[in-house]
């Protein structure tokens, strides 16, 4: 696939996957330089929803406008999000569809192309896997992940001295706890699955970290359920979207 694309292309294509952190102040110097050096940036356009236009696309547009780089929005292929029986298969199909959409744009418009990834591309983001399918050279620049920001805001270390931390999703939380994990960072949990767990836990929770309306709650899980639900609703009202993550540790 590399040779085919190189033959068609009038200039070589290279991709820069740039972690942009969780707010514009977290754009590192190397990230800014990488974006400025791009011929254009590709961003997935998830379309508008009842929560309004895609806020992450708007943020990418603002960064590109600020740095004087063109942003090309590519409609995001539809994805089966309704808890498909074959979750991994549905995700792989979606990656293939995204790769096809980006590949055809790169064929038409070769050059140095940026992808701006929320937080750090290393955590629960498909960009590296999708770009890897394209058969063009690429590099990755890290950004500040929501989990780093969560730890910083609560002024905690994510693990106890010399002990591990498991980073997982709401979907997997119950199974990980069942398997014996007792110190976990949970992402992608729109349903606050921690509250369905048995046992005595401490939680350090944060929503919309980096936005002016970020919310933080910490305490014994059994005591802060209502506080977290109210804070989550406030964040959603204020920003029109909500993303939350938390550290969970058995007492
Ligand atoms: C698709 S993952 C992307 C993670 C991202 N690559 C990172 O490094 O933070 C999205 C999940 O990350 C977490 N997240 C991302 N941004 C957040 C923020 N500003 N505040 C709280 N949680 C956030 C939430 O758990 C959300 O469901």
């Amino acid at each position: 696939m590399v040779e085919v694309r190189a033959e068609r292309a009038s200039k070589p294509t290279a991709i820069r996957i740039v972690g942009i952190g969780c707010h514009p102040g977290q754009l590192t110097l190397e990230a800014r330089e990488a974006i400025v050096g791009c011929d254009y940036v590709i961003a997935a356009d998830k379309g508008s929803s009842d929560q309004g236009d895609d806020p992450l696309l708007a943020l990418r547009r603002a960064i590109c406008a600020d740095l004087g780089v063109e942003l090309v929005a590519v409609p995001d292929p539809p994805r089966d999000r309704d808890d498909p029986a074959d979750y991994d298969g549905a995700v792989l199909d979606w990656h293939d569809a995204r790769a096809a959409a980006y590949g055809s744009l790169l064929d038409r418009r070769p050059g140095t192309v940026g992808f701006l990834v929320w937080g750090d591309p290393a955590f629960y983001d498909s960009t590296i896997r999708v770009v890897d399918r394209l058969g063009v050279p690429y590099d990755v620049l890290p950004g500040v992940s929501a989990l780093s920001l969560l730890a910083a805001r609560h002024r905690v270390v994510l693990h106890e001295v010399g002990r591990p931390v498991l980073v997982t999703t709401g979907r997997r939380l119950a199974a990980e706890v069942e398997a014996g994990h007792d110190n976990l960072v949970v992402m992608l949990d729109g349903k606050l699955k921690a509250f369905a767990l048995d046992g005595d836990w401490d939680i350090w929770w944060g929503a919309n970290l980096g936005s002016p309306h970020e919310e933080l709650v910490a305490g014994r899980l059994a005591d802060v359920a209502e506080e977290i639900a109210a804070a989550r609703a406030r964040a959603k009202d204020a920003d029109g979207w909500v993303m939350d993550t938390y550290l969970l540790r058995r007492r």
Side-chain angles (χ1 to χ4, degrees):
M1 202 199 279
V2 182
E3 287 115 63
V4 175
R5 188 151 290 139
E7 267 170 31
R8 277 190 220 146
S10 54
K11 55 177 168 175
T13 290
I15 291 178
R16 312 217 63 189
I17 300 175
V18 183
I20 59 172
C22 294
H23 67 80
Q26 290 180 342
L27 205 57
T28 65
L29 268 181
E30 70 169 358
R32 291 177 76 89
E33 283 171 12
I35 297 166
V36 167
C38 287
D39 293 304
Y40 64 99
V41 160
I42 294 179
D45 184 354
K46 297 175 197 289
S48 53
S49 67
D50 51 0
Q51 290 181 26
D53 287 336
D54 178 356
L56 296 184
L57 177 59
L59 182 102
R60 290 178 177 100
R61 279 194 199 288
I63 290 173
C64 288
D66 185 41
L67 297 179
V69 176
E70 181 190 2
L71 181 145
V72 179
V74 174
D76 212 25
R79 173 177 163 195
D80 183 358
R81 288 181 183 276
D82 296 333
D83 220 6
D86 178 9
Y87 177 81
D88 291 351
V91 171
L92 287 179
D93 288 348
W94 182 56
H95 288 177
D96 282 342
R98 268 190 161 181
Y102 299 154
S104 87
L105 175 58
L106 293 173
D107 280 345
R108 280 177 279 123
R109 291 194 58 183
T112 301
V113 179
F115 284 83
L116 310 189
V117 176
W118 183 252
D120 188 320
F123 292 108
Y124 295 109
D125 186 89
S126 59
T127 309
I128 294 177
R129 292 194 182 97
V130 171
V131 165
D132 197 55
R133 284 164 158 72
L134 296 173
V136 298
Y138 67 92
D139 67 352
V140 180
L141 302 183
V144 178
S145 172
L147 66 83
S148 301
L149 192 50
L150 176 79
R153 290 292 197 254
H154 283 290
R155 302 180 301 165
V156 292
V157 179
L158 290 177
H159 50 79
E160 291 179 298
V161 179
R163 303 276 301 158
V165 56
L166 183 79
V167 181
T168 190
T169 60
R171 167 184 289 274
R172 295 192 56 90
L173 177 61
E176 310 289 18
V177 168
E178 183 74 30
H181 292 283
D182 57 8
N183 188 62
L184 312 98
V185 169
V186 184
M187 302 176 99
L188 289 167
D189 181 7
K191 297 189 176 148
L192 291 172
K193 297 236 169 119
F195 293 110
L197 294 177
D198 291 332
D200 202 2
W201 299 84
D202 282 320
I203 188 169
W204 292 262
W205 173 91
N208 296 16
L209 299 165
S211 103
H213 307 106
E214 71 178 20
E215 295 278 352
L216 298 170
V217 176
R220 193 175 192 161
L221 185 62
D223 296 338
V224 294
E226 280 179 23
E227 204 182 330
I228 288 179
R232 201 170 191 280
R234 266 198 312 275
K236 191 167 182 178
D237 273 357
D239 284 330
W241 54 275
V242 62
M243 284 197 288
D244 56 346
T245 186
Y246 52 91
L247 169 66
L248 202 56
R249 184 172 295 162
R250 202 184 277 279
R251 288 169 77 100

